[in-house]
Amino acid sequence: VQLQASGGGLVQAGGSLRLSCAASGGTYSGYAMGWFRQAPGKEREFVARISRTGGSTYYGDSLKARFTISRDNAKNTAYLQMNNLKPEDTAVYYCAADSGVPRLAELKKTTGYDSWGQGTLVTVSS
């Protein structure tokens, strides 16, 4: 599956953004979807994951209160709604797909995903 992330940009602290991840070339409903982010000089960090049906979601530490992951299988698209953004949220955000059997120990790791999008930059100014 090919993934195309979009929706990043420059926003002031306290603002909101919605990222989109459009999938093509595969059976989208067969993939769990995830979002990760990577700030300059830091490792890629887990943000959120949603199951194939959308019935289960997982979030990185302290992000659940501000971020919401969702998906629309009819549109082959996953979303990440980010509210009350903070300067520390500045990063390149990547979407990823997991086509395999979910492994609990891998849900929040980059190794739990086999396809990646190109990333979209989110910059939060103070």
Side-chain angles (χ1 to χ4, degrees), residues 22-63:
S24 61
T27 305
Y28 177 70
S29 60
Y31 298 89
M33 299 298 295
W35 287 96
F36 287 74
R37 66 185 183 183
Q38 189 165 17
K42 296 188 177 181
E43 293 186 352
R44 197 164 293 192
E45 174 189 22
F46 172 76
V47 175
R49 175 185 172 109
I50 189 166
S51 64
R52 290 169 173 79
T53 63
S56 297
T57 56
Y58 308 85
Y59 293 91
D61 294 342
S62 76
L63 296 179

Side-chain angles (χ1 to χ4, degrees), residues 73-89:
N73 285 354
K75 296 182 178 179
N76 289 357
T77 302
Y79 304 96
L80 183 69
Q81 177 67 42
M82 305 185 294
N83 298 326
N84 190 23
L85 284 161
K86 303 176 181 181
E88 52 263 42
D89 294 319

